[in-house]
């Protein structure tokens, strides 16, 4: 069952612009993670933010987490054509057992050169 | 570089065949997972394993079984392949404790004809 829902489902921007993707979830979480998937390939882990953190940075990526609204956002700054991919949020539910993630449906990002 | 290796990138099988999808990780991870990914449905968990010879059903285990005889290898078995099992299959592994991301394989695109 899907816990996280990404918004928008698809996003098209020009190279150099910023891309923002949002994720909403339903139950309390231990952490939230973002993954990238290039077409026809496996997912790659980008960043993990714990429930007691509000913001995290990794290179051109900025993730925020608002546990009161049960939402997160992923910002990619100064986008490049190579950022074209699908992006998924995944949540580790607080009541779950062990390291179990539930993935959302993803946002398809296209960055035009 | 840490790796999850799936034995085949593309596979075509006939209806009724028994199909084995193999996944090997070299990171000494305790957890291993099998997902299927379909357009509009996101990633759905089929089975997972926390330890050797241990397996747990995920959200959609029907028509599948798994085997984990060694820590590094997690096999997905389609007992009698059907056309509705045509999909992208993704294997992942992770450390047991929470707050660790998953490492995914490149995926196996299975077509059942």
């Amino acid at each position: 069952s899907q816990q996280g829902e990404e918004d928008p489902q698809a996003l098209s921007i020009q190279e150099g612009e910023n891309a923002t993707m949002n994720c909403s979830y339903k139950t309390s979480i231990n952490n939230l993670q973002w993954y990238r998937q290039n077409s026809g390939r496996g997912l790659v882990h980008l960043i993990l933010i714990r429930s007691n953190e509000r913001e995290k940075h990794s290179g051109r990526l900025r993730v925020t987490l608002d546990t009161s609204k049960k939402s997160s956002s992923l910002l990619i700054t100064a986008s490049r054509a190579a950022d074209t991919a699908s992006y998924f949020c995944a949540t580790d539910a607080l009541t779950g057992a062990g390291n179990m993630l539930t993935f959302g449906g993803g946002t398809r990002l296209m960055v035009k050169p | 570089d840490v790796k999850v290796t799936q034995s085949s990138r593309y596979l075509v099988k006939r209806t009724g065949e028994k199909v084995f999808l193999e996944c090997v990780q070299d990171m000494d991870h305790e957890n291993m997972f099998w997902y299927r990914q379909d357009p509009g449905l996101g990633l759905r968990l089929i089975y997972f394993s926390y330890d050797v010879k241990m397996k747990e059903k995920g959200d959609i285990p029907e028509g599948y079984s798994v085997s984990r005889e060694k820590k590094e290898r997690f096999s997905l078995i389609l007992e009698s392949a059907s056309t509705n099992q045509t999909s992208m299959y993704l294997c992942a592994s992770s450390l047991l404790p929470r707050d660790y991301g998953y490492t995914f394989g490149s995926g196996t695109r299975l077509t059942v004809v």
Side-chain angles (χ1 to χ4, degrees):
Chain A
S1 56
Q2 286 189 1
Q3 151 93 303
E5 295 292 337
E6 285 91 340
D7 170 57
Q9 290 189 328
L11 181 61
S12 181
I13 59 174
Q14 294 293 135
E15 210 165 25
E17 293 180 342
N18 295 342
T20 299
M21 288 157 269
N22 303 296
C23 170
S24 60
Y25 57 90
K26 295 170 187 168
T27 62
S28 297
I29 59 171
N30 180 61
N31 67 64
L32 184 144
Q33 304 178 28
W34 286 91
Y35 290 78
R36 185 188 74 225
Q37 183 181 34
N38 289 90
S39 180
R41 309 295 293 187
L43 279 71
V44 174
H45 182 257
L46 295 176
I47 198 164
L48 180 153
I49 185 164
R50 294 180 176 80
S51 59
N52 61 355
E53 298 175 312
R54 291 297 166 256
E55 188 170 312
K56 209 160 182 183
H57 296 256
S58 177
R60 292 185 296 112
L61 305 181
R62 173 178 167 250
V63 170
T64 61
L65 179 65
D66 186 335
T67 52
S68 66
K69 294 181 180 177
K70 291 188 169 56
S71 68
S72 173
S73 67
L74 170 68
L75 169 67
I76 304 173
T77 60
S79 63
R80 306 166 182 167
D83 295 328
T84 294
S86 291
Y87 292 82
F88 295 84
C89 69
T91 52
D92 175 11
L94 202 57
T95 55
N99 191 3
M100 290 296 304
L101 297 179
T102 303
F103 289 83
T107 292
R108 294 187 311 280
L109 173 65
M110 176 176 290
V111 181
K112 300 175 190 173
Chain B
D1 198 15
V2 295
K3 222 182 233 186
V4 175
T5 303
Q6 294 185 230
S7 53
S8 305
R9 287 280 289 127
Y10 299 95
L11 213 50
V12 180
K13 295 291 181 180
R14 295 195 179 277
T15 301
E17 275 194 77
K18 191 169 186 176
V19 181
F20 293 85
L21 302 183
E22 305 288 344
C23 176
V24 178
Q25 51 97 2
D26 63 1
M27 298 163 284
D28 203 33
H29 282 175
E30 295 89 356
N31 294 341
M32 296 190 75
F33 309 87
W34 275 106
Y35 290 88
R36 65 176 283 177
Q37 184 178 26
D38 301 286
L41 296 176
L43 274 74
R44 293 181 291 168
L45 181 64
I46 305 171
Y47 268 96
F48 60 97
S49 170
Y50 288 137
D51 200 355
V52 175
K53 296 192 186 295
M54 177 273 177
K55 59 187 178 184
E56 292 286 345
K57 293 179 180 179
D59 298 321
I60 51 163
E62 297 78 18
Y64 304 93
S65 62
V66 290
S67 171
R68 194 167 182 196
E69 296 295 318
K70 293 185 178 180
K71 189 175 185 180
E72 66 270 18
R73 186 180 296 270
F74 192 36
S75 303
L76 180 69
I77 303 154
L78 285 66
E79 296 291 341
S80 177
S82 63
T83 54
N84 63 13
Q85 292 178 310
T86 291
S87 185
M88 168 71 103
Y89 289 88
L90 294 166
C91 175
S93 72
S94 77
L95 290 169
L96 184 63
R98 288 175 133 135
D99 294 348
Y100 286 94
Y102 288 7
T103 302
F104 279 84
S106 295
T108 295
R109 187 164 293 281
L110 172 69
T111 302
V112 182
V113 297

